[in-house]
Amino acid sequence: NAGVTQTPKFQVLKTGQSMTLQCAQDMNHNSMYWYRQDPGMGLRLIYYSASEGTTDKGEVPNGYNVSRLNKREFSLRLESAAPSQTSVYFCASSERGGGLNTQYFGPGTRLTVL
Amino acid sequence: QQQVKQSPQSLIVQKGGISIINCAYENTAFDYFPWYQQFPGKGPALLIAIRPDVSEKKEGRFTISFNKSAKQFSLHIMDSQPGDSATYFCAASMMGGNTPLVFGKGTRLSVIA
């Protein structure tokens, strides 16, 4: 039982390049989330998927797109990377949204955009 | 609009001391308040959580105190240890519905010997 896995662990991009961050969970959770973490800013929600087939914007969605590929996988795409997107990205999942549902986080992807 | 305000941003405590982190929320519809702990290089993990029908919840050295009228809740770490050094996030959500957790900005705790 691997929990939440993310690939890659580290990535360096040049401004304007695109990439997809992959996330998978093996806990049969319905809800999945993408956060970015920046110093002094805490965890900011980018997008979430309450259930397979649905996605919704979070606090900071600009510059990102997501795909809920199936119940297990939720990917985050940067179409044209910018230095402001340098951050640590975390994927998380929970049995469903709302309270009393623990969010389980992956180990993170550290992204640098030059 | 920051829905959950957390303070302090950083905290240094002597080994054996009490660490206290405070959070305040605005949305009275929130009814579930977890705390997450994050070690360097790792993702956050649930530490302890409380519902507003109780004023305090204790798990080992970790205690959440909740004040519904003031819309505030706090994490107390008793007998703080160097292994407690981490970033702590408070959060809030509504038990009903499907909305994600709203996180505070985090507190970096350092416990020094």
Side-chain angles (χ1 to χ4, degrees):
Chain A
N1 190 342
V4 179
T5 56
Q6 293 183 236
T7 54
K9 285 185 169 51
F10 302 93
Q11 184 71 46
V12 178
L13 292 178
K14 295 181 179 178
T15 296
Q17 287 185 317
S18 62
M19 79 160 295
T20 300
L21 281 64
Q22 305 287 353
C23 174
Q25 52 89 11
D26 62 1
M27 295 174 281
N28 200 36
H29 285 167
N30 291 298
S31 300
M32 298 186 73
Y33 313 85
W34 276 105
Y35 293 89
R36 60 178 289 173
Q37 183 175 21
D38 303 290
M41 300 299 291
L43 293 161
R44 292 186 291 172
L45 183 66
I46 305 171
Y47 272 93
Y48 68 101
S49 171
S51 61
E52 187 179 356
T54 69
T55 59
D56 285 286
K57 295 179 180 179
E59 181 185 355
V60 289
N62 291 344
Y64 305 95
N65 286 301
V66 290
S67 296
R68 183 74 183 266
L69 304 170
N70 47 56
K71 192 171 185 179
R72 288 188 65 247
E73 298 172 289
F74 189 37
S75 63
L76 179 71
R77 182 159 179 85
L78 287 69
E79 291 290 351
S80 179
S84 61
Q85 294 178 304
T86 292
S87 187
V88 180
Y89 291 85
F90 288 100
C91 178
S93 72
S94 63
E95 185 172 338
R96 65 171 182 84
L100 299 181
N101 284 283
T102 301
Q103 285 193 10
Y104 295 86
F105 285 79
T109 294
R110 187 174 295 273
L111 175 67
T112 301
V113 183
L114 302 175
Chain B
Q1 182 187 9
Q2 188 182 354
Q3 295 194 63
V4 179
K5 294 184 178 180
Q6 183 172 347
S7 62
Q9 190 170 5
S10 63
L11 182 62
I12 299 174
V13 173
Q14 293 275 358
K15 179 182 174 182
I18 302 173
S19 303
I20 302 174
I21 304 171
N22 300 299
C23 284
Y25 63 98
E26 299 167 1
N27 189 343
T28 54
F30 287 149
D31 55 7
Y32 174 66
F33 303 93
W35 286 86
Y36 281 73
Q37 179 188 53
Q38 182 184 30
F39 292 108
K42 305 291 185 183
L46 179 67
L47 178 64
I48 186 173
I50 195 168
R51 294 170 56 174
D53 51 349
V54 296
S55 60
E56 186 176 281
K57 183 173 182 179
K58 184 176 181 180
E59 291 185 2
R61 296 183 295 108
F62 299 89
T63 299
I64 301 178
S65 296
F66 183 79
N67 186 329
K68 188 173 183 178
S69 60
K71 292 187 289 184
Q72 295 176 346
F73 57 109
S74 59
L75 176 69
H76 293 65
I77 306 175
M78 311 300 288
D79 186 27
S80 299
Q81 298 297 313
D84 298 330
S85 297
T87 299
Y88 292 82
F89 294 96
C90 62
S93 74
M94 292 172 277
M95 283 194 289
N98 235 357
T99 55
L101 291 171
V102 177
F103 284 92
K105 291 191 174 183
T107 297
R108 178 174 287 184
L109 171 66
S110 297
V111 181
I112 57 175

